[in-house]
Amino acid sequence: LFQKQSNQNNRISVFVRLRPMMKREKEANSRSCVRIVNRRDVYLTEFSSDNHDYLRLKRLKGRHFTFDASFPDSASQLDVYSTTTADLVEAVLQGRNGSVFCYGATGAGKTYTMLGTVENPGVMVLAIKDLFTKIRQRSLDGNHVVHLSYLEVYNETVRDLLSPGRPLVLREDKQGIIAAGLSQYRAYSTDEVMALLLQGNKNRTTEPTRANETSSRSHAILQVMIEYRTRDASMNVINRIGKLSLIDLAGSERALATDQRTLRSVEGANINRSLLALSSCINALVEGKKHIPYRNSKLTQLLKDSLGGACNTVMIANISPSNLTFGETQNTLHWADRAKEI
Ligand code: ADP
Ligand code: MG
C-alpha cells in the first residue's frame, strides 16, 4: 500500500516486539513491566522495588507509546515478517531499495527476530523465502537473479561474514559506496540460505572473554540484490536492480558507555559512533532535512543507498518484559518513538 502513496519519498515504519520472559528472569522473581494492547499500544510501568520487602513492590508511573504495530510475546516469526517486511520485499522486487533494522539491548531478541533458528527462521530467511516464491510466480516475464552478501561492522571495521579474512575497505564508485572485495553468493534455495547465514553468524566477532558468544558490539548486515532483466516489445533490454538490507544491530545499551579507559571503552566508543550515526541519519530523515550525515560511520556509509531517497525503512525495536531491564526497555521505546515520522 505505501509504495503507491509515496513513490519517491522515504517511508519509515516503526514496530515493537516484546519477547517472552526467560527462565532466569522468572527465577529472579522478575515481573513484567510491559503490556501490549490492540497490537499497537505499549504500556510501560515502573515499579519501585524495596529490596527488603518484595511484598511492597508498588507501581510508580506508567508511560504509553503507539507504533505502526506492536507484537506481544506470543507473536510468531511469520506474523512479525508479514506485518513488518512483506510489503518492503514487494517494493524491492519493483526495483526499490529498502532496509530492516532490529534495535535494542543485548538479550532483547534482535538475533532471534532477524536470523531465528532452524525451526523458527526469522525475518532474513522468511524474506528470502518470500522473494523466491514471488519470483517463481513471475518467472514468465523475465529473469530474476538473487545475490547475497553478509557482512559485519565491528569496532568500525568491515568484515565479510561469508568469506572471512582481512577487513574490507569502503570505496565510492559509480554505484555508490561499496566494500571492495566483498563476496556475493548467488542464491537458489531457502535451505541453502539458512545454512549460509548460520555459518556466517558463527563468523561474527566473539567477546574476547567469552568464546562462542557473539559480541554485543557487532552489527551484522545481510544485503540481498535482486536483478531483473527482460526485453520490452521493441526488444530493448530492461534492467532493474533492487536491494534489500537486513540489519541485526549491536546492543544499544553500550551506545552511551564512554566512561572506561580500557580496550572495551574504545570498542564502546566505536559502537557509539555507528549507532549514534544511524540515529542521527534517521532523525534527519524523519525531520525531512536535506543533509543526511551518512559519512559519520561505516554502518551509515554502507547503508547510504538503502536509507534515504526512494527507499523504505523498517525499524523493529526489541524489548524484554522484565522489570530488571526496565531502563533499557525505556531507552529503546524512547528511541523508537523518536524514529517515528512526525
Ligand atoms: P539479542 O540478539 O538482542 O542479544 P537474542 O535474539 O539472542 O537477543 O535473544 C536472547 C534470548 O531470548 C535467546 O535465547 C533467544 O532465543 C530468546 N528469544 C528472543 N526472542 C524470542 C522470542 N520472540 N521467542 C522465543 N525466544 C526468544
Ligand atoms: Mg544478538
Side-chain angles (χ1 to χ4, degrees), residues 17-20 22 105-112 248:
R17 185 185 200 179
L18 177 68
R19 72 153 165 74
M22 291 201 284
T106 298
K110 298 181 297 297
T111 303
Y112 184 86
D248 181 0

Side-chain angles (χ1 to χ4, degrees), residues 2 10-15 84 88 97-101 282 285 306-308 311-315 341:
F2 58 67
N10 185 255
R11 167 86 170 85
I12 299 181
S13 323
V14 184
F15 302 93
T84 62
L88 196 144
N97 289 355
S99 49
V100 183
F101 294 89
I282 286 173
L285 287 166
S306 304
L307 259 178
C311 300
N312 297 341
T313 304
V314 169
M315 196 57 72
E341 285 181 30

